[in-house]
Amino acid sequence: MKKKVVLITAGPTKEYIDPIRFISNDSSGKMGYLLAEESKKLGDVILISGPTCLKPPKGIKFIKVISASEMFNQVKKYFNKCDVFISCAAVSDYKVKNASKDKIKKTIGKLKLELISNPDILLEVSKEKYNNKRILVGFALETNNLIKNAQNKFIKKKLDIIIANEPSTINSDRSKGAIITEDKIKKFKSISKKSLAEIIIGDIRGVLTR
Ligand code: CTP
């Protein structure tokens, strides 16, 4: 197989309220970083990561971002060059409308924050999939109706593979859920994220060589 370019997003995004406070999602970035390591077997890897405590894998292009908008800008920059896009980031769906440039002082009573939508990065790039030439892989973290909700995202975001995860996966070294494709649901019970990364990249190789 010819060398491929794999673009991956990982970790959470942070949306600042003021220079000190932010809203975010709970995500260690472990799954995305393990996928970046494993993806080296397919070719060149570009990892766009929100803030994490992890060391990026060696031998890849690593781009650090903070917010969803920054992540989206970087994805747009590299998407046209990639053969595979793995959207593993826990992107904040909302950001604060008027983030304060100074630290917000304690006020009496309630503090109201107005939140506005962030771009859905995976949904936006799925519109430019270019006649199925590019492989799109997404993740879904669900507290209920795991398979059904993930399947809905699979269809809406025109994915080739979606990995449905249970909340116990967050910050853990293990994952529990299912790998879903158009015609298959492969359930897995608590496996290491490293093993899961190997399986996912194996499945992507399968799609690439089909
Ligand atoms: N995703 C993204 N940009 C967003 C939200 C999600 O790129 N603003 C990607 C994630 O990386 C993941 C997939 O879309 O691959 C599903 O993310 P998830 O947070 O599970 O679902 P949402 O589409 O945000 O839907 P909801 O929050 O309503 O469950």
Side-chain angles (χ1 to χ4, degrees):
M1 194 181 70
K2 246 180 84 189
K3 247 173 103 173
K4 304 292 178 194
V5 176
V6 185
L7 177 65
I8 302 171
T9 62
T13 64
K14 275 184 183 176
E15 313 298 328
Y16 276 90
I17 298 167
D18 69 14
I20 322 293
R21 292 100 168 194
F22 57 84
I23 53 171
S24 190
N25 284 332
D26 200 1
S27 165
S28 63
K30 284 176 191 167
M31 192 68 236
Y33 280 55
L34 286 164
L35 281 164
E37 178 66 50
E38 192 61 25
S39 294
K40 290 199 271 185
K41 292 180 185 163
L42 297 177
D44 295 329
V45 182
I46 305 160
L47 175 61
I48 302 172
S49 175
T52 75
C53 299
L54 304 172
K55 247 170 90 181
K58 292 209 173 87
I60 64 156
K61 184 172 178 64
F62 180 69
I63 300 160
K64 227 174 143 176
V65 295
I66 307 281
S67 66
S69 301
E70 284 172 28
M71 185 173 272
F72 189 31
N73 285 337
Q74 291 300 327
V75 168
K76 281 191 283 192
K77 206 162 143 188
Y78 292 100
F79 186 71
N80 287 346
K81 300 179 185 79
C82 82
D83 301 290
V84 180
F85 177 52
I86 308 178
S87 181
C88 195
V91 184
S92 287
D93 286 327
Y94 296 93
K95 65 177 173 190
V96 179
K97 188 177 178 194
N98 293 312
S100 171
K101 120 174 139 6
D102 296 312
K103 188 181 176 196
I104 300 169
K105 288 296 177 197
K106 242 177 293 185
T107 47
I108 303 192
K110 291 177 188 165
L111 172 68
K112 277 197 182 164
L113 294 176
E114 191 177 348
L115 303 181
I116 54 171
S117 290
N118 263 330
D120 186 325
I121 300 171
L122 182 54
L123 179 67
E124 287 307 316
V125 299
S126 75
K127 295 174 188 163
E128 295 173 40
K129 207 178 165 186
Y130 302 135
N131 306 325
N132 295 335
K133 267 212 233 137
R134 220 162 249 117
I135 293 174
L136 298 188
V137 181
F139 279 75
L141 194 117
E142 309 291 345
T143 53
N144 55 316
N145 298 327
L146 182 70
I147 304 292
K148 191 76 219 137
N149 283 334
Q151 280 174 324
N152 288 341
K153 287 173 190 174
F154 178 89
I155 295 165
K156 187 176 168 195
K157 303 193 186 190
K158 296 190 195 137
L159 304 181
D160 298 278
I161 301 173
I162 191 161
I163 298 92
N165 283 297
E166 294 191 1
S168 61
T169 301
I170 298 171
N171 290 320
S172 171
D173 289 328
R174 305 185 77 76
S175 179
K176 192 176 170 194
I179 300 175
I180 301 170
T181 50
E182 204 173 7
D183 54 358
K184 241 192 244 155
I185 301 173
K186 264 198 303 198
K187 289 192 179 169
F188 54 88
K189 277 187 196 151
S190 184
I191 56 168
S192 73
K193 286 187 177 174
K194 189 170 184 314
S195 304
L196 180 57
E198 286 164 11
I199 296 168
I200 295 167
I201 298 306
D203 287 356
I204 292 172
R205 185 187 287 280
V207 180
L208 284 167
T209 52
R210 207 158 48 195

